[in-house]
Amino acid sequence: MINGSLRATLNGISFVHPITPVRLADRYKVKGAYKLDFPDRPIDSRPPRLDISMINATYKGFIQVVFQNNDTKMQSFHVDGYTFFVVGMDFGVWSEDKKGSYNNYDAISRSTIEVYPGGWTAGLISLDNVGVWNIRVENLDRWYLGEETYMRIINPEENGQTEMDPPGNVLYCGALRNMQKDQHHSAATSILNGHLKLMFSMLMALLALVFTF
């Protein structure tokens, strides 16, 4: 329970989605839109909290992610934008000495992995894909309650080759809502709307005939 509501957490943080999209906040230097202070270990010294806390990852770096399932049912975890090498899994609580049992030679590559109740799974990720990528539990009842975070991976020498500019019809919201432009619908949408209006008019005419007779 956090602030009187049932929540789910990763490392003691229940994720709250920012009202300003992260990459737009970066582009327009919006302060306070999110935090880059996601803890690299579970926090046992203070109570769980709601926060917009993300992982500050390093472009072309390497990261270890350990999924520890302390729940009473199977959980599936997913990483957007990447596949990771599943190097180890076991029951119990993960600790540093578990690295000695890792398979660092021919590990399988996955973007989603199941973790047994009371067990852990470790994955290694090579961070070569620029962007803001979700790490989450796939169990909808836990995901909905905040069991997720994001990795923010930025190329410090970005020249337009590793990340494209926002599209011309990007939607602005949150702190940037005043920048929102009018949306122009395509001709196909206009034709579809016209057909729908015609079908509605014909239906109303038929109903009128039915009631007349």
Side-chain angles (χ1 to χ4, degrees), residues 137-193:
V137 67
E138 289 282 77
N139 305 55
L140 294 181
D141 57 337
R142 300 297 191 269
W143 182 12
Y144 175 76
L145 295 175
E147 193 172 335
E148 63 174 327
T149 187
Y150 285 80
M151 292 189 297
R152 178 181 175 271
I153 304 163
I154 306 301
N155 181 359
E157 299 177 355
E158 178 60 51
N159 56 10
Q161 295 183 359
T162 57
E163 188 173 19
M164 295 186 296
D165 288 334
N169 63 344
V170 63
L171 297 177
Y172 294 92
C173 54
L176 301 173
R177 60 186 178 275
N178 292 333
M179 297 179 60
Q180 181 59 49
K181 302 175 184 177
D182 293 336
Q183 297 292 305
H184 300 289
H185 300 289
S186 66
T189 303
S190 299
I191 293 172
L192 177 61
N193 288 338

Side-chain angles (χ1 to χ4, degrees), residues 104-135:
N104 294 316
Y105 302 99
D106 58 354
I108 60 172
S109 180
R110 294 286 187 271
S111 61
T112 304
I113 193 71
E114 291 183 330
V115 185
Y116 290 93
W120 58 267
T121 297
L124 301 179
I125 313 174
S126 178
L127 302 176
D128 58 355
N129 191 10
V130 171
V132 178
W133 303 107
N134 191 217
I135 299 178

Side-chain angles (χ1 to χ4, degrees), residues 19 48-49 55 63 71 73 108 136 174 190 210:
I19 60 173
R49 70 181 192 273
I55 298 170
I63 190 172
D71 209 329
K73 66 177 183 178
I108 60 172
R136 65 176 180 270
S190 299
V210 170

Side-chain angles (χ1 to χ4, degrees), residues 6 8 11-12 14 38 50 55 62 68 81 84 89 91 98 118 122 124-125 129 136-137 143 165-166 191 202 210-211:
L6 182 65
N11 282 7
S14 187
F38 189 82
L50 303 174
I55 298 170
F62 213 73
Q68 175 80 48
F84 52 88
M89 59 176 60
F91 290 101
K98 304 296 185 183
L124 301 179
I125 313 174
N129 191 10
R136 65 176 180 270
V137 67
W143 182 12
D165 288 334
I191 293 172
M202 293 176 64
V210 170
F211 286 112

